[in-house]
Structure formats: C-alpha cells, structure tokens
Amino acid sequence: MALGSSAPEILLSIIEIINNKFEPGELGPGTIVGSAAFNLQIITGICIYCIPTGESRRIKEINVFACTSFFAVFAYIWLYLVIEVITPNVVELWEAIITFLLFPLIVLIAFAADKNFWRKQMEIDGDWNQMQDVFAKGKTGSEEDVRHIIEMGKKQLKDPKEAADIATAEMLRRTHHSKAWY
C-alpha cells in the first residue's frame, strides 16, 4: 500500500533527475521523504480507526514488526548521514548503491524473522492432533478445553508457556473475527 501510494512521487523524482542531467532538483528527496512519513501516519491511523469500539489488537509475532521498525528508523538516520554528514548536499554513487542494497537486506531479514530463523523450531508430533480434537467438539475455547490442551502440551513440549500459546492460537483460529481482524 505504501509503495503504491508513493509511486507518483518516485516517478516525478526520476523524471526530474533525468531532465536535470542527473543533478538533484528541488522536488525529489523532500517529496519522497515527506510522502513516506505522511503515508506511514495515514496507514497507521486508518488501521487503528478500523478497530471496532471496545476491541483491541496486539502484535503477537513481534519479530517482523521489530525488524521493520528498526529499518524504518534506520532509513531516516541513514538519509541524514548521507545528505548532511558523509558528503553534505551530494549523494555519491557508493552511497546510492548501499541505499539500494538495503532494501533486499530488509526483505531477507524480515523473511528470516517471519520464518523464525533465529529461534528454536518447535516440533510437535501426534499430540497436536489430539489437541485439535478438543476444539473440534462443540465447546470451542472453554476453560476446561484450554486446561486439557495445556496439560497435553506439558507432556509433549515440557513447557507450559508453549502449550498455552498453542491453545490460544487454536482458539483464535476457531473463533469468529470482525473485518478489522484481517
């Protein structure tokens, strides 16, 4: 969404640079940075506004969120360093190449974070099917069901927190959600 809404500014900047014989113009960097900041605020605001009154949302998997948050802040710091500190008012070719290569880097790191590359993988065998059977019965998400799944998880995983996480994830998967959930 953010890339699509920033595409006009990016194209205007490219056209301006080409027309100025590859010299930066007045329009370029400020427009892109301002547009990105505006889009970030508007997209965040709309997402918050869409949550129905009385409901709340939490970020369950923090890995990708932390990765993108770090790179969002780092992007502004890098931009400041390039334009004001390293080579004031000039963007050298090597700076442009590094900036360009940061995008695939963030994609790879975010993908690895999403796949829990740095975290121990949890292995669950046949007991997972038994845990799901508890929820398949008519009483999805009762306290008794949750306790039963946690006990089964303790036997299998040796960690009550992981068992509770599995029970919670399964309850959330099975319950009806509003449009804002997705």
Side-chain angles (χ1 to χ4, degrees):
M1 187 168 161
L3 179 61
S5 62
S6 295
E9 290 87 1
I10 294 170
L11 288 174
L12 282 173
S13 295
I14 291 171
I15 291 169
E16 180 185 39
I17 287 175
I18 291 171
N19 288 340
N20 287 340
K21 299 178 185 172
F22 293 93
E23 293 291 325
E26 298 286 322
L27 186 63
T31 305
I32 292 173
V33 172
S35 172
F38 176 80
N39 289 339
L40 178 66
Q41 299 301 317
I42 291 298
I43 292 168
T44 303
I46 289 173
C47 290
I48 291 170
Y49 179 76
C50 288
I51 296 173
T53 305
E55 292 186 22
S56 62
R57 301 290 184 266
R58 301 190 98 188
I59 298 171
K60 184 175 180 204
E61 294 294 328
I62 201 86
N63 297 338
V64 176
F65 175 75
C67 174
T68 53
S69 295
F70 168 78
F71 273 98
V73 172
F74 176 75
Y76 286 104
I77 293 170
W78 175 249
L79 181 66
Y80 172 75
L81 290 173
V82 167
I83 294 178
E84 296 293 330
V85 177
I86 299 172
T87 52
N89 297 322
V90 176
V91 177
E92 299 286 334
L93 181 61
W94 68 271
E95 294 167 331
I97 291 171
I98 288 174
T99 303
F100 182 76
L101 292 177
L102 286 174
F103 179 71
L105 178 66
I106 185 179
V107 170
L108 289 173
I109 291 174
F111 178 77
D114 184 49
K115 297 299 180 187
N116 293 321
F117 184 75
W118 293 286
R119 195 172 13 159
K120 177 185 78 165
Q121 293 293 317
M122 207 170 45
E123 293 197 18
I124 302 170
D125 55 18
D127 283 344
W128 174 245
N129 292 330
Q130 291 175 351
M131 289 182 212
Q132 284 186 321
D133 288 342
V134 171
F135 286 102
K137 297 175 184 163
K139 300 181 347 180
T140 301
S142 72
E143 287 184 41
E144 180 183 323
D145 293 341
V146 173
R147 274 194 227 105
H148 180 67
I149 285 183
I150 290 173
E151 287 304 314
M152 290 169 59
K154 283 181 188 175
K155 292 175 191 170
Q156 176 65 24
L157 303 170
K158 308 289 190 254
D159 182 4
K161 184 181 180 325
E162 285 181 327
D165 288 345
I166 290 169
T168 303
E170 186 61 20
M171 281 191 329
L172 287 174
R173 189 180 73 81
R174 298 275 179 146
T175 57
H176 175 71
H177 303 292
S178 68
K179 292 176 188 171
W181 175 265
Y182 305 101

